[in-house]
Amino acid sequence: MKDILTAPFLIDFVRTLTNMYRLGWDERNGGNVSMIVDEEKLLPYLNPRKVLREIPIGFAAPELAGRYFLVTGTGKYFKNVQYDPAANLGLFRLSKSGDTAELLWGYSDGGQFTSELPAHLMSHAARLRVDPAHRIVMHTHPGNLLAMTFVHTLDEKEFTRTLWQMCTECIVVFPDGVNVLPWMLCGTTSIGEATAAKMANARLVVWSQHGIYGAGRDLDETFGLIETAEKGAEIYMKIAHLPRLATITDEQLHLLEGRFGLKVREGYLD
């Protein structure tokens, strides 16, 4: 077996988490990321029959049974992942019943997966129904998007349109828009179910006064979604108190729609 620390999927995962911390998105032990790992990518590095321990996940996700997940650990700091991946991350297979994590690598200090695992698994299931190539769920706390939920209406259409108007790239990167949840208690099945429902028609779901969930086919796509939405929110927070003398109009957004062949969220542009 090859050393799993040399696996490209693990190297990319560690680099992404390190960058998220560097940007200030994940203070202390804030944030969590999960990635579906296809079996052929992990077989050179792990024996799938060698289960280190079994960890109940607290609910059942039978539609994800047999899939492999690389997931951040509960209480772990992103800043430490690059120095000790095995203690801060875990790779497990979901059992046939879908209610147990069969740990194959990681959580070496006796830890376990993030407390937000229900929201992650439910979101994975929701996005796979829309896009079979889906692989990533990323939860993080970008400061400007978080601030925006205090001063902007939480209406999803208006929230999305504001971000689209802040930066030309926004509608190009997330033409499906941004969905928004009111404040809810984190780490619960309820917020997981609500997030998964919102993932049915958008890859970005804002948790008001908390953070954002992003989903995508790979780490770069998902990181880029959140990065672009955060840039739009940063511009908004800088100008929200000032008179707006110019904006990107709906007519101009339609021009971008045509230029890039976008499928823009229906009913969001006049």
Side-chain angles (χ1 to χ4, degrees), residues 80-143:
N80 295 332
V81 173
Q82 62 182 316
Y83 305 112
D84 193 351
N88 292 282
L89 307 174
L91 198 156
F92 61 81
R93 178 180 54 234
L94 205 58
S95 65
K96 292 181 180 179
S97 56
D99 62 1
T100 302
E102 298 172 343
L103 185 66
L104 304 176
W105 173 85
Y107 304 145
S108 60
D109 59 358
Q112 64 176 39
F113 42 74
T114 171
S115 62
E116 300 291 0
L117 186 66
H120 279 255
L121 294 183
M122 292 178 193
S123 292
H124 279 299
R127 289 307 305 171
L128 283 167
R129 287 192 286 269
V130 177
D131 178 12
H134 160 85
R135 291 295 180 269
I136 307 295
V137 170
M138 185 178 291
H139 172 55
T140 186
H141 306 157

Side-chain angles (χ1 to χ4, degrees), residues 68-83:
Y68 298 87
F69 295 89
L70 181 61
V71 184
T72 51
T74 185
K76 301 302 183 181
Y77 292 41
F78 280 19
K79 71 182 180 68
N80 295 332
V81 173
Q82 62 182 316
Y83 305 112

Side-chain angles (χ1 to χ4, degrees), residues 154-192:
L154 300 182
D155 178 84
E156 292 171 340
K157 179 177 177 180
E158 294 305 315
F159 202 94
T160 294
R161 283 170 58 86
T162 293
L163 291 176
W164 284 350
Q165 291 168 351
M166 292 300 103
C167 180
T168 298
E169 283 76 13
C170 282
I171 196 171
V172 177
V173 173
F174 50 94
D176 46 344
V178 177
N179 285 338
V180 183
L181 286 174
W183 188 93
M184 297 179 68
L185 184 63
C186 56
T188 64
T189 301
S190 295
I191 199 169

